[in-house]
Amino acid sequence: MSGSSRGGLRLGVNIDHVATIRNARGGTHPEPLRAAKAALDAGADGITAHLREDRRHISDSDIEDLSRLCASLGKPLNFEMAVTDEMTEIALRHRPHAACLVPERREERTTEGGLDAARGHTVISPVVKRLREAGVRVSLFIAPDPVQIAVAEAMGAQVVELHTGAFCDAIKAGETDHAARLLADLQEGARLAAGRGLEVHAGHGIDFDSVGAVAAIPEVAELNIGHFLIGEAIFVGLDAVIGKMRSLMDLARPS
Ligand code: PXP
């Protein structure tokens, strides 16, 4: 994503769970496309959407609509995808600004861990190559693990997105010492990745209580946040929740 946010830190808004609510009734409301427009109007730098293999939230036609919207506004679409032939073909058809390769298991509630790039090397590597050749910026969603970071670089990914889920869960549980150790891992991972020339993103589970610490990691260029923003928007509206998240990010990363 390109952006001119303060402190060089961009906010990608993940709108998957607008589709979750829509799909609960099988109709068209609330529309992810409308949420994407509202998020961009409210100060998001880009839109993220995960087309899962089971289509539990975002649909193929959502991706078509979001691709068209982002292209028309010159805003980046970050397409989250499992490393499968089907998803690779869809990504190559739409050529989003970026594709973030994520692990996916049907029985999981959300993307629970990072991609095991080291173990999946032979499957992931050709997908990274095909996407890059099509002009798509490739990101790997990984734990802040030195081996995964080295493999991501060796595969030719331009970006790593560090999984912040465990850190955010520790904050929510009030486990201060554990959270501090997990934050140190994220800080070290960001430093290592940036040192290898990778752009560093971070995401998963971020809310108002955890955003400051992640945003303060100087190498992090982009946060991708979804569930909390969409949930909190029920109470205060998308505009207000995105505005507050942006200001907490800016506070942590003054220009
Ligand atoms: N980044 C990645 C790669 C993800 O898979 C997700 C969840 O879809 C997020 C960020 C956003 O996580 P959350 O919805 O918990 O904010």
Side-chain angles (χ1 to χ4, degrees):
M1 278 180 205
S2 55
S4 55
S5 301
R6 270 182 61 191
L9 182 59
R10 303 185 299 267
L11 172 61
V13 173
N14 178 315
I15 53 155
D16 292 351
H17 296 299
V18 177
T20 303
I21 299 171
R22 174 198 59 194
N23 295 358
R25 287 295 167 93
T28 58
H29 186 270
E31 258 191 317
L33 186 68
R34 184 171 160 202
K37 284 183 196 151
L40 292 167
D41 283 349
D45 296 293
I47 297 299
T48 294
H50 184 177
L51 183 66
R52 291 188 76 103
E53 290 186 88
D54 62 9
R55 309 303 199 265
R56 70 175 69 159
H57 38 56
I58 292 292
S59 68
D60 296 68
S61 65
D62 289 329
I63 292 296
E64 274 168 39
D65 292 345
L66 294 167
S67 295
R68 226 173 288 122
L69 174 76
C70 289
S72 72
L73 297 176
K75 295 289 182 182
L77 175 65
N78 179 31
F79 178 67
E80 285 181 11
M81 54 176 274
V83 187
T84 63
D85 290 344
E86 183 199 19
M87 288 302 150
T88 305
E89 293 313 318
I90 292 170
L92 291 172
R93 198 161 63 243
H94 290 295
R95 295 180 190 225
H97 169 81
C100 180
L101 308 187
V102 302
E104 207 175 288
R105 288 196 306 274
R106 273 174 199 253
E107 66 277 13
E108 71 188 355
R109 252 188 250 161
T110 180
T111 313
E112 281 159 8
L115 197 64
D116 191 343
R119 186 176 294 182
H121 183 272
T122 49
V123 178
I124 300 167
S125 202
V127 173
V128 172
K129 186 165 181 285
R130 287 185 74 195
L131 291 169
R132 278 200 64 160
E133 282 169 0
V136 178
R137 200 164 165 76
V138 181
S139 165
L140 301 190
F141 187 43
I142 57 172
D145 174 294
V147 173
Q148 300 295 341
I149 292 165
V151 172
E153 186 207 357
M155 277 184 193
Q158 296 113 312
V159 181
V160 287
E161 179 161 330
L162 300 181
H163 198 309
T164 53
F167 166 69
C168 295
D169 284 348
I171 295 278
K172 282 176 198 126
E175 297 165 357
T176 319
D177 292 348
H178 188 210
R181 282 194 297 277
L182 293 166
L183 181 62
D185 291 345
L186 289 166
Q187 289 164 333
E188 180 59 12
R191 201 184 58 75
L192 278 177
R196 288 181 173 275
L198 293 159
E199 184 171 309
V200 183
H201 298 176
H204 210 280
I206 295 175
D207 63 12
F208 288 154
D209 295 328
S210 48
V211 70
V214 181
I217 301 173
E219 294 86 1
V220 173
E222 178 177 310
L223 300 184
N224 284 302
I225 311 179
H227 185 269
F228 174 78
L229 291 175
I230 303 306
E232 190 64 12
I234 292 169
F235 305 108
V236 300
L238 258 186
D239 198 55
V241 70
I242 289 173
K244 181 163 174 190
M245 191 61 85
R246 268 244 68 102
S247 50
L248 291 171
M249 288 164 61
D250 293 343
L251 212 61
R253 282 276 282 272
S255 48

